[in-house]
Amino acid sequence: MALLTTLAALPTDAAFDLVVIGAGGAGLSAALHAAIDGARVLVVERTAQVGGTTAWSAGTTWIPCTRHAKALAGEDSIEQAARYLDQVVGAHADASLRRAFLAHGAEAVERFERHTHVHYRPYALHPDYESDIEGATLRGRALEPLPFDGRLLGDLFGLLRAPIPEFTVLGGMMVDRSDINHLLAMGRSWRSLRHAASIIGRHARDRLSHPRGTRLVMGNALVARLLHSLAQRPNVSLLVDTGLREIHAGTDAAGARVIEAVTLEAAGQTRRVAVRGGLVLASGGINRDPDWRARTLPGIPIDWCPGAPGHTGQAQALALQLGARHGDGAASPALWAPVSLRRRADGSTAVFPHFVMDRAKPGMLTVNQAGRRYLNESMSYHRYGLAMQAEQRRSDRGEPGAAAALPSFIVCDAAALKRHGLGMVRPGGTGLAAYIADGYLTAGATLAELARQLGLDAATLEATVATHNRHAEAGHDPDFGRGRTAYQRNIGDASWPGPNPNLGAIATAPFYAVKVYPGDIGAAVGLRTDDRARVLDAHGSPIAGLYAVGNDAQSIMGGTYPGPGITIGPGMVFAHLAARDALGRLPTRA
């Protein structure tokens, strides 16, 4: 049986062991874990493509103490990871959920690698984001999916959500951090030249028969591996362009709610589908619900959100009608990154997250609308986004020294831009005219001219840069501690000749800047769940047969950001736990 089907093709008495709402990383993981055990599974995706925000991400999966971690960093342990999370997350999330995640992470990875096409490798060096906290590690917990040949998907390749164009090169060629390093070094290293020639040649061949490159990396590779694995199993069906209209619940002998069926809608038709074991909500979260944003993220327009379409909170709203509740206590309702915006030729807006490639590199700094530094540019992108909002609140309150920070400006000189790029501007420093013409990039022959173009006080910006340059020469940032931790140094420039890989003088004219805004990259608020991913009601009791994973569940990290992939990792592990619990409810199973 083909994986992809239509609502009209389902029989009128259709029944599935597991119904999964949402075909992002967490939803596809839940479906695949259930399919491994032979369950009959239906995946329902409201958009035309699968992958959600996972397909746009780096695909990093944060799971401590897998076999990969043991091979790379044998000193790690569940107890060490628990100490780290207890200190970073603390009371912002239920500790029992962290314990379940740590206890079952390795087995979830092992199930995939033993029974499916989903395979990982550890980053050689990828420190936890709060690397100065007890229990942190420098490597082993962050896994990345192996690259994948998209041609293996056949006709399903078009179902895969393509990466955002600004994250590709040469008209749709995907590159990861290793590829970027080779491309930048191919004029200095034969090894890099061979690697660059290989991927460019592959891409040239791809474009003869495909609209984009088929060598998939990062989040696209992870989703493709999940999709390819599901396509090999005759017990799985996938609907796209199909919405969840209603969740039907009955009552058990004790009067408790029990999920019985769902009503789905597509192309003006509806179909009721029976749910035998469980319904898993994995629709991507609530970030694109305008009412929730107005209440929870005031002053943060939806245009700043770099997440994929579809996560409107509709599935959560139906669960709330059944008695479910949102979690509370998170340090932040969302997860953040600085983003820059540019209008594309087709009229859409590119929202570019500044994760690692520019802001923390030598020759760059961030200033508010008074032209002053106010944050550590090398801290995690989540903390950076929070710091922007905190500075804006201080300005709104009229606190001395504070100034408006929405937007802020990443400022650099010509040497830094050529070496590292700046947002959507690629390293090399070519093709700047178009970015300057449409206002994405601002340029000035002097710092004073740049300040005038940005509406900043020239003397303040010049003084800020002068102070920064003195700190760069000394290799020490006494104001904000830039480059202080292993994580911060890792996102600096390892080949930088100065004493601090995050600090370099801003001195070579002309000078450039881009505007950055705090963009919500995911929700930390979701439905309250227990250590089996069961959705809880107001009394803390599970609603039988209802599960939430990924960003539909309250983050087990409590609105903190301990490391790379702290949404994808827990999403995959709790997908495993949800599927296992749901299948345990089937009457045919012992």
Side-chain angles (χ1 to χ4, degrees), residues 81-102:
R83 284 197 303 274
Y84 175 66
L85 291 180
D86 285 347
Q87 293 179 85
V88 176
V89 181
H92 292 298
D94 186 341
S96 69
L97 303 187
R98 302 198 291 274
R99 301 296 186 267
F101 164 64
L102 294 174

Side-chain angles (χ1 to χ4, degrees), residues 319-341:
L320 294 174
Q321 292 175 14
L322 295 176
R325 292 291 182 269
H326 279 136
D328 53 24
S332 171
L335 307 172
W336 302 95
V339 300
S340 54
L341 314 175

Side-chain angles (χ1 to χ4, degrees), residues 36-47:
I36 290 171
D37 289 330
R40 189 173 182 219
V41 181
L42 176 66
V43 182
V44 182
E45 169 58 39
R46 66 177 300 179
T47 72

